[in-house]
Amino acid sequence: MKQPYLWPPSIRAAFCFTIDVDAESPQLWRSRNQPSLSMNELEQRCYGLREGIWHLLEALQRYAVRATCFVPVHEAETRPWLLEALAAANHEIGLHGVLHEVVSELSRDQFAEIVEKGLETVVRMTGFRPLGFRSPAWEMTPWAFEILQRAGLLYDSSLSGYDHPYSLGHIIEIPVQWPLDDAVFFRYAGTGADRWPPRATSETARSWLEICTGIERFGGSAVTTVHPWLTGRSGRIALAEALLEHARTTEGLWICTAGELAAYHARSANSGLFRESGIIPDRPPALL
Ligand SMILES: [Zn+2]
């Protein structure tokens, strides 16, 4: 039998509500070599920091839940009120690149500079030093963990190797999973490249609650990821509310931030029990 994750007495599982606070930076990064004049996706994304974030913040306040917000430097710099509003509501702020760069497309030096710029921005604007990083598009490389550790970060939250926190190379991993990311269900750019229409909010909420319940049943940590431009839409805020209602009414569930979860992992016996190398294995020799 697998060693169960060890929780404090009276806790049997954990729940985190995380927000990737992207507006236009993913689109700007994607089109960096060939700037685009398309307004459709741009305006959808900007909605997130005009309206969507306020819907999410209001719901979080109503349920008295602290979220973990991963914010690109570009969004923080272009909306000087943003980090202040998140910090004033007592949410955790984590790093999410400068222009939502995909880590595997960067050099080590570029990534180190981006991490430093993120730390400097959050400290300057809030007075708090971030503990964690979430990789845009959830892509990581083995060396990126080393750079995060050297920068003094405690955790990354981009990969899916367990259903609970684990140590990965030099860093603690707070695992996510695609079926608990709203981009999979709601992202619809309307450029003709979409492969399916956006899913119904009620159907998505039902599916997410099934997954959270499954993770909690096996003593894991359910880490949900929403975006202000997707779940923050007026017509979809019911997904956030369903999750918060679930978290508030489930017994034995620790509602925590990703930083609190990482700090717990670091000081508990779990940090020795769940430890992976973070090394990509050599390609095996060809059979023929
Ligand atoms: Zn993002």
Side-chain angles (χ1 to χ4, degrees):
M1 193 183 121
K2 176 188 171 280
Q3 162 72 43
Y5 196 78
L6 305 172
W7 295 109
S10 80
I11 298 290
R12 61 180 180 87
F15 174 90
C16 286
F17 191 97
T18 74
I19 309 176
D20 286 3
V21 190
D22 321 325
E24 67 279 7
S25 65
Q27 189 179 345
L28 297 178
W29 167 255
R30 222 174 35 240
S31 60
R32 64 197 180 281
N33 297 323
Q34 201 173 14
S36 155
L37 291 178
S38 166
M39 292 289 290
N40 184 306
E41 185 178 344
L42 180 72
E43 284 297 294
Q44 284 194 53
R45 290 182 165 280
C46 288
Y47 170 96
L49 293 183
R50 294 176 190 149
E51 294 207 35
I53 190 71
W54 301 112
H55 296 150
L56 290 171
L57 291 177
E58 186 279 325
L60 287 161
Q61 188 183 21
R62 194 159 14 103
Y63 285 92
V65 168
R66 282 184 75 203
T68 302
C69 304
F70 296 100
V71 189
V73 169
H74 172 82
E75 274 71 1
E77 296 275 21
T78 52
R79 284 101 171 153
W81 52 266
L82 179 60
L83 292 190
E84 199 184 312
L86 299 176
N90 203 24
H91 297 303
E92 181 192 356
I93 296 169
L95 306 184
H96 199 43
V98 171
L99 198 62
H100 208 266
E101 301 87 353
V102 175
V103 172
S104 56
E105 296 174 12
L106 300 171
S107 70
R108 290 175 194 230
D109 287 350
Q110 285 172 322
F111 182 61
E113 253 174 62
I114 283 166
V115 171
E116 280 309 321
K117 174 84 180 143
L119 284 168
E120 182 272 315
T121 305
V122 179
V123 170
R124 171 169 42 85
M125 292 182 137
T126 69
F128 293 106
R129 192 179 162 84
L131 293 173
F133 172 78
R134 171 165 289 162
S135 176
W138 291 354
E139 196 45 85
M140 283 297 277
T141 62
W143 48 257
F145 290 95
E146 218 179 288
I147 290 170
L148 293 180
Q149 190 215 20
R150 244 187 285 142
L153 290 174
L154 178 65
Y155 75 91
D156 168 67
S157 180
S158 314
L159 301 175
S160 316
Y162 278 93
D163 273 336
H164 52 65
Y166 59 107
S167 306
L168 187 62
H170 304 270
I171 284 283
I172 293 169
E173 182 62 35
I174 301 299
V176 289
Q177 48 185 291
W178 287 113
L180 295 178
D181 180 332
D182 61 354
V184 175
F185 299 82
F186 297 151
R187 188 176 186 282
Y188 190 83
T191 57
D194 304 293
R195 280 171 294 166
W196 48 75
R199 308 294 284 268
T201 304
S202 53
E203 179 198 335
T204 306
R206 198 168 60 240
S207 155
W208 285 36
L209 291 177
E210 275 169 15
I211 293 168
C212 288
T213 308
I215 293 171
E216 290 151 18
R217 179 178 153 204
F218 287 93
S221 48
V223 178
T224 59
T225 299
V226 304
H227 296 75
W229 71 287
L230 297 169
T231 297
R233 281 263 161 196
S234 306
R236 292 204 186 106
I237 199 69
L239 170 63
E241 290 172 333
L243 294 171
L244 295 169
E245 181 74 27
H246 163 83
R248 273 278 160 238
T249 54
T250 302
E251 249 179 75
L253 193 59
W254 179 30
I255 304 173
C256 56
T257 62
E260 289 168 337
L261 196 50
Y264 170 71
H265 182 83
R267 66 172 188 267
S268 69
N270 294 299
S271 64
L273 293 171
F274 303 102
R275 183 170 284 281
E276 302 298 336
S277 67
I279 292 169
I280 296 178
D282 287 338
R283 189 170 60 86
L287 291 174
L288 294 173

